[in-house]
Amino acid sequence: MLVILRDGRKLQGVLRSYDQFANLVLEDTYERIYHQGMFAERHHGLFLIRGENVVLLGEIDLDKEDDVPLKQVEYHSLEPYHLQELDTKKERDEAKSHILLETKGFSKEGGEGDGY
């Protein structure tokens, strides 16, 4: 299974259990990061995911995955690029939040007025 989380992490593992809240238990879990035509994996083992953090859950077609022309590299070689992309995304999201707050009155996620 492929699970994409709210924070952008992409996890692949064997789905062992789930419940009505979309809480998941993944076994033999790997976190994947991508940059240009490369990817890297970090093993996490058993992973419990709270359902509110799940954005997407889907089955991976292993035959089609082999057809994707990505080169696997070591995790540490892609990690600096991945961290830079996360920083850029965070800055962009903060700028959007600020503009929405100033022009439309929307509150930041988790900020004052964001209760449900």
Side-chain angles (χ1 to χ4, degrees):
M1 300 298 286
L2 168 67
V3 180
I4 298 180
L5 303 180
R6 281 181 18 170
D7 64 1
R9 286 186 286 173
K10 296 164 187 70
L11 304 173
Q12 291 187 2
V14 179
L15 180 64
R16 289 296 177 204
S17 182
Y18 64 93
D19 64 12
Q20 70 271 25
F21 304 109
N23 296 320
L24 308 173
V25 177
L26 292 180
E27 186 177 53
D28 195 26
T29 307
Y30 288 86
E31 177 181 358
R32 271 197 178 184
I33 57 175
Y34 299 90
H35 182 71
Q36 296 175 347
M38 299 175 287
F39 76 95
E41 295 180 330
R42 177 184 283 171
H43 187 260
H44 288 292
L46 192 65
F47 216 86
L48 175 63
I49 303 167
R50 189 172 169 136
E52 66 184 20
N53 294 314
V54 175
V55 173
L56 180 132
L57 170 68
E59 186 176 3
I60 298 172
D61 186 339
L62 296 176
D63 294 331
K64 289 185 180 179
E65 184 183 30
D66 292 338
D67 296 338
V68 177
L70 292 175
K71 179 183 174 188
Q72 186 171 4
V73 296
E74 294 293 323
Y75 194 90
H76 63 83
S77 64
L78 277 190
E79 193 171 23
Y81 299 107
H82 178 67
L83 294 175
Q84 178 62 39
E85 288 174 6
L86 289 178
D87 289 341
T88 303
K89 183 180 184 307
K90 183 178 178 182
E91 291 172 6
R92 193 171 54 245
D93 288 346
E94 286 176 3
K96 286 181 189 177
S97 294
H98 181 71
I99 291 169
L100 287 172
L101 177 63
E102 296 297 320
T103 60
K104 304 291 184 188
F106 293 141
S107 64
K108 292 182 180 180
E109 184 175 344
E112 184 178 339
D114 188 34
Y116 42 102

